[in-house]
Amino acid sequence: MELWDLYNAQRRLVGADHIRGERLPDNCFHLVVHVWIRNHQGQYLLSQRAADRPTFPLLWECVGGSVLKGETSLQGALQEVKEEMGLTLDGPIGQVVFTKTRAIAEGKKCNDILDVWLFPYQGPVSLENATTREVAQVRWATPAEIAALWEQGLFVPTLDYFFTLPSLC
Protein backbone atom coordinates (compact mmCIF):
# COMPACT_ATOMS: atom_id res chain seq x y z
CA MET A 1 0.00 0.00 0.00
CA GLU A 2 1.44 3.34 -1.09
CA LEU A 3 0.56 6.42 0.98
CA TRP A 4 0.68 10.02 -0.22
CA ASP A 5 0.40 13.32 1.64
CA LEU A 6 -2.48 15.50 0.48
CA TYR A 7 -2.13 19.22 -0.22
CA ASN A 8 -4.47 22.07 -1.05
CA ALA A 9 -4.07 24.06 -4.28
CA GLN A 10 -1.67 26.42 -2.49
CA ARG A 11 0.62 23.48 -1.70
CA ARG A 12 -0.14 23.38 1.98
CA LEU A 13 -0.52 20.02 3.69
CA VAL A 14 -4.15 19.36 4.57
CA GLY A 15 -3.31 16.84 7.29
CA ALA A 16 -4.74 13.81 5.54
CA ASP A 17 -3.19 10.76 3.93
CA HIS A 18 -4.23 9.16 0.68
CA ILE A 19 -3.94 5.55 -0.46
CA ARG A 20 -2.77 5.23 -4.05
CA GLY A 21 -5.52 3.94 -6.31
CA GLU A 22 -8.39 5.43 -4.32
CA ARG A 23 -10.33 8.43 -5.59
CA LEU A 24 -8.72 11.70 -4.58
CA PRO A 25 -10.95 14.02 -2.56
CA ASP A 26 -12.09 17.17 -4.34
CA ASN A 27 -9.80 20.15 -3.76
CA CYS A 28 -6.94 17.89 -2.60
CA PHE A 29 -3.77 17.25 -4.56
CA HIS A 30 -0.81 14.88 -4.34
CA LEU A 31 2.79 15.70 -5.22
CA VAL A 32 4.31 14.31 -8.43
CA VAL A 33 7.85 14.72 -9.76
CA HIS A 34 9.36 14.49 -13.22
CA VAL A 35 13.15 14.27 -13.30
CA TRP A 36 15.19 15.31 -16.32
CA ILE A 37 18.84 14.28 -16.24
CA ARG A 38 21.21 16.15 -18.59
CA ASN A 39 24.86 15.49 -19.38
CA HIS A 40 27.53 18.01 -20.41
CA GLN A 41 26.81 17.33 -24.08
CA GLY A 42 23.22 18.59 -23.64
CA GLN A 43 21.72 15.11 -23.95
CA TYR A 44 18.93 13.87 -21.69
CA LEU A 45 18.73 10.45 -20.11
CA LEU A 46 15.46 8.91 -21.23
CA SER A 47 13.77 5.74 -20.06
CA GLN A 48 11.54 3.48 -22.09
CA ARG A 49 8.54 2.29 -20.11
CA ALA A 50 8.32 -1.48 -19.70
CA ALA A 51 5.88 -3.35 -21.93
CA ASP A 52 3.69 -4.34 -18.98
CA ARG A 53 3.13 -0.78 -17.72
CA PRO A 54 -0.61 0.00 -17.52
CA THR A 55 -0.20 3.37 -19.23
CA PHE A 56 2.01 4.32 -22.16
CA PRO A 57 3.83 0.95 -22.49
CA LEU A 58 7.12 1.14 -24.43
CA LEU A 59 6.98 4.92 -24.79
CA TRP A 60 9.98 7.07 -23.89
CA GLU A 61 9.96 9.52 -21.00
CA CYS A 62 11.93 11.11 -18.19
CA VAL A 63 11.88 9.47 -14.76
CA GLY A 64 8.89 10.38 -12.65
CA GLY A 65 6.33 9.34 -10.12
CA SER A 66 4.33 10.19 -7.03
CA VAL A 67 6.04 11.47 -3.91
CA LEU A 68 5.42 9.25 -0.89
CA LYS A 69 4.03 10.34 2.46
CA GLY A 70 6.61 12.25 4.45
CA GLU A 71 8.91 12.89 1.49
CA THR A 72 9.79 16.29 0.09
CA SER A 73 9.74 16.90 -3.63
CA LEU A 74 13.53 16.54 -3.74
CA GLN A 75 13.47 13.28 -1.77
CA GLY A 76 10.79 11.95 -4.10
CA ALA A 77 12.81 12.93 -7.18
CA LEU A 78 15.95 11.23 -5.88
CA GLN A 79 13.99 8.12 -4.87
CA GLU A 80 12.30 7.77 -8.28
CA VAL A 81 15.66 8.00 -10.07
CA LYS A 82 17.17 5.40 -7.72
CA GLU A 83 14.23 3.00 -8.13
CA GLU A 84 13.75 3.31 -11.88
CA MET A 85 17.34 3.81 -13.12
CA GLY A 86 19.53 2.73 -10.23
CA LEU A 87 21.30 6.11 -10.14
CA THR A 88 22.23 8.09 -7.06
CA LEU A 89 22.08 11.79 -7.87
CA ASP A 90 23.53 14.64 -5.85
CA GLY A 91 20.45 16.37 -4.42
CA PRO A 92 21.87 19.87 -3.89
CA ILE A 93 22.75 20.30 -7.57
CA GLY A 94 19.21 19.62 -8.80
CA GLN A 95 16.74 22.40 -9.40
CA VAL A 96 13.01 22.71 -9.94
CA VAL A 97 12.52 24.26 -13.38
CA PHE A 98 8.72 24.12 -13.55
CA THR A 99 5.79 23.63 -11.20
CA LYS A 100 2.14 23.27 -12.09
CA THR A 101 -1.01 22.37 -10.19
CA ARG A 102 -3.15 20.17 -12.42
CA ALA A 103 -6.73 19.05 -11.89
CA ILE A 104 -6.80 17.19 -15.22
CA ALA A 105 -4.09 15.65 -17.42
CA GLU A 106 -4.76 13.86 -20.69
CA GLY A 107 -8.51 14.33 -20.10
CA LYS A 108 -8.46 12.47 -16.77
CA LYS A 109 -8.74 13.77 -13.22
CA CYS A 110 -5.28 13.71 -11.67
CA ASN A 111 -5.31 16.38 -8.94
CA ASP A 112 -1.57 16.70 -8.65
CA ILE A 113 1.10 19.27 -8.07
CA LEU A 114 3.82 18.58 -10.61
CA ASP A 115 7.42 19.55 -9.89
CA VAL A 116 9.80 19.21 -12.83
CA TRP A 117 13.43 18.72 -11.74
CA LEU A 118 16.64 19.08 -13.72
CA PHE A 119 19.87 17.38 -12.61
CA PRO A 120 23.26 17.37 -14.27
CA TYR A 121 24.86 13.92 -14.42
CA GLN A 122 28.03 12.50 -15.87
CA GLY A 123 28.60 8.86 -15.27
CA PRO A 124 27.64 5.32 -16.10
CA VAL A 125 24.04 4.18 -16.41
CA SER A 126 23.03 0.59 -15.80
CA LEU A 127 19.56 -0.70 -15.04
CA GLU A 128 21.15 -3.50 -13.01
CA ASN A 129 20.96 -1.25 -9.94
CA ALA A 130 17.28 -0.32 -10.44
CA THR A 131 14.94 -1.65 -7.76
CA THR A 132 11.85 -1.79 -9.99
CA ARG A 133 11.28 -3.19 -13.45
CA GLU A 134 9.32 -0.20 -14.72
CA VAL A 135 11.99 0.66 -17.28
CA ALA A 136 12.79 -1.50 -20.32
CA GLN A 137 15.88 0.43 -21.40
CA VAL A 138 17.58 3.81 -21.17
CA ARG A 139 19.32 6.06 -23.66
CA TRP A 140 20.82 9.51 -23.99
CA ALA A 141 19.02 11.78 -26.47
CA THR A 142 19.43 15.33 -27.75
CA PRO A 143 16.45 17.69 -27.77
CA ALA A 144 16.19 17.08 -31.54
CA GLU A 145 16.06 13.33 -30.98
CA ILE A 146 13.38 13.83 -28.31
CA ALA A 147 11.40 15.91 -30.80
CA ALA A 148 11.70 13.08 -33.35
CA LEU A 149 10.41 10.56 -30.79
CA TRP A 150 7.52 12.95 -30.09
CA GLU A 151 6.70 13.29 -33.81
CA GLN A 152 6.71 9.49 -34.17
CA GLY A 153 4.29 9.09 -31.24
CA LEU A 154 6.97 7.33 -29.17
CA PHE A 155 7.14 9.84 -26.32
CA VAL A 156 4.74 10.06 -23.35
CA PRO A 157 2.21 12.78 -24.34
CA THR A 158 2.01 14.40 -20.87
CA LEU A 159 5.62 15.55 -21.29
CA ASP A 160 4.76 18.11 -23.98
CA TYR A 161 5.96 20.90 -21.66
CA PHE A 162 9.55 19.82 -22.51
CA PHE A 163 9.32 21.77 -25.75
CA THR A 164 8.24 25.02 -24.09
CA LEU A 165 10.68 25.29 -21.19
CA PRO A 166 13.83 27.23 -22.08
CA SER A 167 15.69 25.56 -19.20
CA LEU A 168 15.18 22.17 -20.88
CA CYS A 169 15.30 22.68 -24.62
Side-chain angles (χ1 to χ4, degrees):
M1 176 174 66
E2 187 172 297
L3 285 178
W4 301 336
D5 286 317
L6 290 179
Y7 299 82
N8 64 20
Q10 290 74 42
R11 201 182 181 127
R12 291 189 193 96
L13 286 167
V14 298
D17 297 341
H18 181 75
I19 298 172
R20 183 183 192 126
E22 292 185 0
R23 188 177 186 281
L24 282 161
D26 291 336
N27 300 317
C28 287
F29 299 83
H30 71 288
L31 191 54
V32 171
V33 293
H34 289 173
V35 184
W36 293 90
I37 300 167
R38 183 170 58 200
N39 65 21
H40 292 305
Q41 292 79 36
Q43 298 170 311
Y44 292 91
L45 186 57
L46 301 181
S47 60
Q48 185 184 40
R49 295 173 63 83
D52 63 355
R53 300 297 298 152
T55 57
F56 310 120
L58 298 177
L59 294 189
W60 291 91
E61 65 178 352
C62 65
V63 171
S66 295
V67 175
L68 300 179
K69 177 180 173 51
E71 287 183 335
T72 65
S73 176
L74 174 59
Q75 290 168 328
L78 296 173
Q79 184 63 28
E80 288 295 328
V81 171
K82 183 72 172 166
E83 288 176 2
E84 294 182 21
M85 290 189 168
L87 298 179
T88 301
L89 297 177
D90 184 7
I93 63 172
Q95 63 179 333
V96 175
V97 295
F98 179 68
T99 297
K100 183 177 185 177
T101 301
R102 308 181 299 177
I104 296 176
E106 287 296 299
K108 297 178 186 174
K109 180 180 176 181
C110 65
N111 278 34
D112 66 24
I113 300 170
L114 170 65
D115 281 347
V116 178
W117 285 87
L118 176 62
F119 283 88
Y121 178 76
Q122 292 295 120
V125 179
S126 172
L127 289 177
E128 292 174 10
N129 297 323
T131 60
T132 68
R133 298 293 164 233
E134 298 177 32
V135 174
Q137 61 180 324
V138 295
R139 69 174 274 202
W140 290 100
T142 64
E145 291 167 327
I146 293 170
L149 290 169
W150 176 267
E151 291 299 320
Q152 296 168 36
L154 299 174
F155 205 70
V156 171
T158 57
L159 301 176
D160 58 342
Y161 64 80
F162 176 85
F163 304 103
T164 64
L165 292 179
S167 56
L168 292 179
C169 64

